[in-house]
């Protein structure tokens, strides 16, 4: 939970951090195999497949954050509080009733990892972290290969 203390110690920011001066992370749309592990239930991984159709890293980031900001259920209990660029991805935090959530995404060509850190403010011993690893395994059904016109 290295990112969590850093974000908890900063004031809530509504604007984006300064743009990266290094190249943007690479993201390739397609079909990804996933495995998620919750720190509280290490021996019970969840596996699946997901089609991620975002055109590139910027679209993935924009679409991911927009899903949270447009969800009435989410907005009843939480509000976005901070977004940060990382050399290989991005992170954003949310202030929720009795908790703080930090989502972090790291990218490399055909791999995406995400960490969902939840700090339960009244009961920190019940806080948890979910790590999800996603490996690209091919194209989504009906998807053109990257770089090819449809």
């Amino acid at each position: 939970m290295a990112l969590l203390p850093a974000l908890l110690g900063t004031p809530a920011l509504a604007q984006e951090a300064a743009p990266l001066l290094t190249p943007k992370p690479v993201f390739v749309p397609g079909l990804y195999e996933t495995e998620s592990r919750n720190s509280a239930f290490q021996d019970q991984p969840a596996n699946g497949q997901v089609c991620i159709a975002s055109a590139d890293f910027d679209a993935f980031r924009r679409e991911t954050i927009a899903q949270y900001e447009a969800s009435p259920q989410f907005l009843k209990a939480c509000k976005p509080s901070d977004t940060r660029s990382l050399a290989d991805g991005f992170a954003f935090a949310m202030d929720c009733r009795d908790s703080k959530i930090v989502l972090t995404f790291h990218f490399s060509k055909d791999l995406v990892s995400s960490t969902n850190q939840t700090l339960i403010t009244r009961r920190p011993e019940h806080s948890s972290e979910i790590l999800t690893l996603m490996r690209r395994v091919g194209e989504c059904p009906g998807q053109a290969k990257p770089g090819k016109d449809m």
Side-chain angles (χ1 to χ4, degrees):
M1 289 191 160
L3 181 62
L4 187 59
L7 287 176
L8 289 176
T10 61
L13 298 174
Q15 72 274 2
E16 171 63 30
L20 291 174
L21 298 176
T22 58
K24 291 181 186 174
V26 175
F27 172 76
V28 179
L31 185 64
Y32 284 78
E33 286 183 340
T34 66
E35 180 175 323
S36 296
R37 291 190 182 265
N38 186 315
S39 61
F41 308 102
Q42 284 290 319
D43 59 343
Q44 299 176 23
N47 297 300
Q49 286 190 334
V50 62
C51 176
I52 306 175
S54 302
D56 58 18
F57 168 77
D58 288 328
F60 181 101
R61 177 182 171 142
R62 187 175 51 256
E63 293 162 3
T64 299
I65 293 171
Q67 288 176 18
Y68 284 92
E69 294 175 339
S71 169
Q73 296 85 359
F74 170 76
L75 294 173
K76 284 181 185 177
C78 300
K79 67 176 183 148
S81 63
D82 194 11
T83 301
R84 300 282 172 104
S85 295
L86 305 172
D88 65 345
F90 67 97
F92 65 101
M94 298 166 276
D95 290 318
C96 303
R97 288 188 204 124
D98 299 322
S99 67
K100 175 87 172 187
I101 299 171
V102 178
L103 295 163
T104 307
F105 291 86
H106 298 279
F107 297 81
S108 61
K109 186 177 182 235
D110 289 329
L111 299 171
V112 178
S113 69
S114 68
T115 305
N116 179 334
Q117 300 165 320
T118 303
L119 172 64
I120 310 298
T121 52
R122 292 185 184 179
R123 303 286 306 264
E125 68 274 14
H126 294 292
S127 298
S128 66
E129 179 173 302
I130 298 171
L131 172 64
T132 300
L133 301 173
M134 297 179 272
R135 181 176 57 89
R136 188 175 184 284
V137 293
E139 310 307 324
C140 295
Q143 176 186 3
K145 293 187 184 227
K148 303 275 183 188
D149 291 332
M150 293 179 87

